[in-house]
Amino acid sequence: MNYIKLNIRGISYSQTQVGAYALILEEEFGGRKLPIIIGNFEAQAIALALEKDLTPPRPLTHDLFMNFCHLLEIEMKNVLIYNLEEGIFYSNIIFEDKDNILHELDSRTSDAIALAVRFNCPIYVKKEVMDRAGIKMEIITEEDSEEIKAAIHEIEKELTNENKSEEEKLLNFTIKELEKQLQQAVETENYELAASIRDELSKREKE
């Protein structure tokens, strides 16, 4: 088979990108793992879907898409991660309509996986991609599992802060974290956020 089935192993903080998370996928038969860097929103979407007992008060974008598909009798069959180029994974989603006709849609890998969890459908990666990007990792220890749970908890906690102002959100970060965010905001030319972070740092220096 040209594709390898993957299972979601967990979500943890990215060690290379501030404000990002690492989604760890593991081949079903074998010890290789496929780490994919995803954004905060996608991490929230995946974490909430994994936590079956936690339901947001209003449907998130991926939940709305799933409800829309169910209404039109469209089922998601699987996710195919078919390419890796310049650090970006490329994926297709396979859907089946009510006439049993299959359709293939291009998708960001993070969105595809967020939907796969909701539709409870399999995730596959092309063998060539796994051979290039898959890495051998030691079996995740209980301590690592606790770190993953903590990361998911932090993602869920951020959902409760969505309605807070930027100034209020900054109160939850340490000075070191704020300095990293300031640098990132400047690099991405998000000067409004950079100004808010700078003001918060100045305020703490005076305390």
Side-chain angles (χ1 to χ4, degrees):
M1 184 178 178
N2 199 29
Y3 280 89
I4 298 170
K5 187 177 181 182
L6 298 172
N7 296 314
I8 297 176
R9 192 67 176 86
I11 302 173
S12 62
Y13 296 112
S14 170
Q15 300 299 314
T16 59
Q17 296 185 30
V18 178
Y21 295 84
L23 173 67
I24 309 298
L25 303 174
E26 182 180 40
E27 59 183 340
E28 188 169 51
F29 301 105
R32 290 180 300 177
K33 306 211 172 31
L34 191 69
I36 299 177
I37 302 300
I38 60 176
N40 178 60
F41 175 76
E42 291 76 16
Q44 289 180 1
I46 294 171
L48 282 173
L50 290 173
E51 293 293 320
K52 303 298 184 183
D53 297 330
L54 186 61
T55 304
R58 303 291 296 164
L60 298 177
T61 304
H62 299 93
D63 298 315
L64 180 62
F65 184 84
M66 179 184 68
N67 294 338
F68 183 78
C69 287
H70 286 165
L71 184 65
L72 297 179
E73 300 180 42
I74 297 171
E75 282 300 317
M76 183 172 169
K77 304 301 291 183
N78 53 59
V79 170
L80 304 178
I81 304 174
Y82 66 88
N83 193 20
L84 171 63
E85 189 174 328
E86 296 182 357
I88 298 174
F89 290 91
Y90 291 83
S91 299
N92 284 330
I93 301 175
I94 309 301
F95 288 99
E96 184 178 59
D97 63 25
K98 61 182 179 181
D99 297 319
N100 299 320
I101 298 174
L102 295 177
H103 303 273
E104 190 170 305
L105 293 177
D106 180 44
S107 171
R108 293 192 308 169
T109 299
S110 54
D111 288 327
I113 293 174
L115 289 171
V117 177
R118 286 164 170 77
F119 279 90
N120 194 29
C121 70
I123 303 166
Y124 297 97
V125 61
K126 202 168 186 177
K127 185 179 182 300
E128 290 86 344
V129 175
M130 192 65 180
D131 290 340
R132 286 173 55 199
I135 57 175
K136 276 282 188 180
M137 298 172 64
E138 295 298 325
I139 296 175
I140 295 179
T141 64
E142 184 175 344
E143 182 179 350
D144 293 328
S145 297
E146 289 302 318
E147 289 181 3
I148 291 173
K149 290 178 182 177
I152 293 176
H153 175 70
E154 288 300 317
I155 293 169
E156 294 166 351
K157 189 169 66 174
E158 286 176 16
L159 282 177
T160 64
N161 295 331
E162 284 183 343
N163 295 324
K164 291 184 178 181
S165 66
E166 288 299 329
E167 290 76 12
E168 290 175 315
K169 291 178 182 178
L170 294 177
L171 296 175
N172 297 322
F173 296 102
T174 65
I175 291 179
K176 188 174 181 180
E177 289 172 334
L178 287 174
E179 289 172 344
K180 288 183 179 179
Q181 289 192 37
L182 177 59
Q183 181 181 356
Q184 186 179 41
V186 172
E187 291 175 352
T188 57
E189 299 183 0
N190 189 344
Y191 299 119
E192 183 177 352
L193 176 59
S196 298
I197 297 173
R198 180 202 60 204
D199 292 342
E200 177 62 26
L201 286 170
S202 299
K203 187 188 303 180
R204 295 194 190 186
E205 287 176 0
K206 295 176 181 178
E207 292 178 351

